[in-house]
């Protein structure tokens, strides 16, 4: 009977890991003390394990943990918006005995109960990339100011239109997600429009996915091709939108902007697919998160508040009044620590 019980427990643990997403690394087992215990045991939960942005963030966190003598484990949701998967990942990491959890929440509210349970257990919880709502649901947030990043994109597109009224399509991410809301609002402020303005000819939600963005753009182009600007919430969606525009022979007439700053995205700017992308610095987020975890394990000291890790517009066609760097700089610094 005892043997059967242990087997059942092992199978349950395996199911918990598989349903939470991909376990990238797992360097320990069992429980541990929390702050002040000396050894940092860091768990990372990302939105997905396939988006290049989150792959870079995970790799940077893993490298920083190794460099600072911390144990590290990473799990992810199965898709952007998989709140249940992220909840299971948090529960799994608590069972592993982490003393810090770094998380990029798919929803600003969808994992709050699990985060509270972790904090009540003495685990330091830091949001990376995406803030929670309310912000103090976590101990601290290390992230891009996403409203400011959207505003940079919008200001560039406005300047590139050189006084011509926008005829704009918007390719958004996941409806209701804080990053999507902030970037969308920032872009509209930068370009000088409000939701519902007649200059906005249509919008589609693509959940961060390139194929969905291409499909969404194809649907929008069935309504009108009298356009001069496209907003995209991230670079995979920007590539999907561009593919649909190119298939219709419209790419040359449009100013396409995006946000992320991955090396592929910077190359897209260099090749003329995007006029601009706004670079984020996930490596900086990950490294600072791991260093905070190491400090917490040693001393019990916790970080607090919002830490803006910065953003920079990347373009080879700078516009007056819009600070930017060229693609040569971008390819040297893509998704890095910035300068």
């Amino acid at each position: 009977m005892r043997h059967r019980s242990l087997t059942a427990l092992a199978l349950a643990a395996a199911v918990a890991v598989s349903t939470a997403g991909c376990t990238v690394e797992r360097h320990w087992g069992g429980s541990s003390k929390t702050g002040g215990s000396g050894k940092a045991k860091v768990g990372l939960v990302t939105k997905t394990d396939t988006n290049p942005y989150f792959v870079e963030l995970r790799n940077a966190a893993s490298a920083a943990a190794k460099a600072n003598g911390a144990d590290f484990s990473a799990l992810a949701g199965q898709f952007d918006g998989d709140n249940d998967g992220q909840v299971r990942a948090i529960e799994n990491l608590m069972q592993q005995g982490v003393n810090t959890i770094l998380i990029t929440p798919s929803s600003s509210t969808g994992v709050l109960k699990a985060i509270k349970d972790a904090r009540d257990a003495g685990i330091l919880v830091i949001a990376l990339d995406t803030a929670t709502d309310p912000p103090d649901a976590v101990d601290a947030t290390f992230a891009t100011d996403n409203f400011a990043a959207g505003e940079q994109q919008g200001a560039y597109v406005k300047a590139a239109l050189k006084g011509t009224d926008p005829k704009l399509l918007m390719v958004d991410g996941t409806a209701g997600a804080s990053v999507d809301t902030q970037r969308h609002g920032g872009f509209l402020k930068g370009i000088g429009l409000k939701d519902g303005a007649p200059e906005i000819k249509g919008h589609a939600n693509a959940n961060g996915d390139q194929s969905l963005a291409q499909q969404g753009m194809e649907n929008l182009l069935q309504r009108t091709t009298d356009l001069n600007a496209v907003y995209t919430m991230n670079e995979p969606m920007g590539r999907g939108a561009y593919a649909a525009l190119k298939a219709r022979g419209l790419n040359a007439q449009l100013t396409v902007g995006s946000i992320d700053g991955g090396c592929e995205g910077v190359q897209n700017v260099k090749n003329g697919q995007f006029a601009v992308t706004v670079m984020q610095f996930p490596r900086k987020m990950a490294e600072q998160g791991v260093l905070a975890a190491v400090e917490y394990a040693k001393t019990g000291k916790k970080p607090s508040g919002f830490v803006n890790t910065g953003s920079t517009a990347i373009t080879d066609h700078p516009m007056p009044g819009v600070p930017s760097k060229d693609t040569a700089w971008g390819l040297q610094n893509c998704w890095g620590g910035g300068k």
Side-chain angles (χ1 to χ4, degrees):
M1 177 65 72
R2 183 173 181 271
H3 175 74
R4 287 199 298 271
S5 299
L6 290 174
T7 301
L9 285 172
L11 287 171
V15 170
V17 171
S18 65
T19 55
C22 176
T23 303
V24 180
E25 296 180 58
R26 186 175 180 180
H27 296 164
W28 75 90
S31 63
S32 70
K33 296 180 181 179
T34 53
S37 63
K39 179 77 169 181
K41 298 185 176 183
V42 184
L44 173 68
V45 181
T46 52
K47 296 180 184 180
T48 74
D49 59 7
T50 55
N51 184 306
Y53 180 86
F54 298 117
V55 171
E56 175 60 30
L57 190 146
R58 181 188 70 209
N59 291 343
S62 177
K66 183 176 181 180
N68 287 277
D71 289 330
F72 180 77
S73 181
L75 297 171
Q78 294 181 339
F79 53 87
D80 198 330
D82 182 15
N83 296 316
D84 290 343
Q86 288 200 316
V87 168
R88 290 192 294 270
I90 292 170
E91 293 169 348
N92 186 284
L93 291 171
M94 291 175 66
Q95 292 170 3
Q96 290 185 33
V98 301
N99 43 35
T100 293
I101 291 176
L102 310 175
I103 181 168
T104 63
S106 283
S107 164
S108 57
T109 59
V111 292
L112 297 189
K113 172 63 166 59
I115 288 173
K116 182 179 185 301
D117 290 344
R119 294 180 73 190
D120 287 348
I123 296 170
L124 171 67
V125 181
I126 298 173
L128 302 181
D129 177 72
T130 304
T132 54
D133 183 13
D136 61 3
V138 292
D139 292 289
T141 300
F142 298 162
T144 306
D145 182 334
N146 283 294
F147 189 91
E151 189 173 3
Q152 287 172 285
Q153 186 192 154
Y156 180 90
V157 172
K158 180 178 181 178
L161 293 177
K162 299 180 179 179
T164 302
D165 290 339
K167 298 176 183 178
L168 173 68
L169 292 180
M170 302 189 73
V171 183
D172 292 303
T174 302
S178 58
V179 170
D180 180 72
T181 301
Q182 291 160 8
R183 291 183 184 180
H184 178 104
F187 178 87
L188 291 181
K189 181 180 179 182
I191 201 171
L193 299 175
K194 293 183 178 180
D195 273 315
E199 293 88 349
I200 303 173
K201 304 303 180 181
H203 69 86
N205 290 100
N207 297 335
D209 183 82
Q210 182 169 333
S211 295
L212 290 177
Q214 183 171 348
Q215 294 169 17
M217 179 59 71
E218 288 168 352
N219 292 336
L220 291 172
L221 293 175
Q222 291 177 12
R223 303 177 194 174
T224 181
T225 58
D226 183 20
L227 306 162
N228 59 15
V230 174
Y231 160 83
T232 64
M233 195 276 284
N234 72 8
E235 289 169 354
M237 293 194 301
R239 286 188 281 274
Y242 180 84
L245 294 167
K246 186 176 181 181
R248 295 288 292 270
L250 299 172
N251 51 298
Q253 75 184 51
L254 292 160
T255 299
V256 180
S258 199
I259 300 175
D260 267 350
C263 297
E264 186 176 358
V266 175
Q267 190 66 45
N268 293 146
V269 175
K270 185 174 181 179
N271 294 344
Q273 294 163 270
F274 305 158
V276 65
T277 191
V278 180
M279 180 178 287
Q280 304 181 88
F281 301 103
R283 193 179 305 163
K284 183 185 292 185
M285 299 175 201
E287 289 170 352
Q288 291 184 0
V290 170
L291 290 175
V294 171
E295 178 68 20
Y296 176 62
K298 288 181 179 178
T299 68
K301 180 181 178 181
K302 294 182 176 182
S304 62
F306 180 85
V307 178
N308 180 13
T309 51
S311 57
T312 299
I314 304 296
T315 181
D316 284 332
H317 301 283
M319 292 292 158
V322 184
S324 64
K325 300 284 189 180
D326 63 19
T327 57
W329 186 93
L331 289 171
Q332 291 176 348
N333 293 274
C334 41
W335 282 349
K339 291 183 180 179

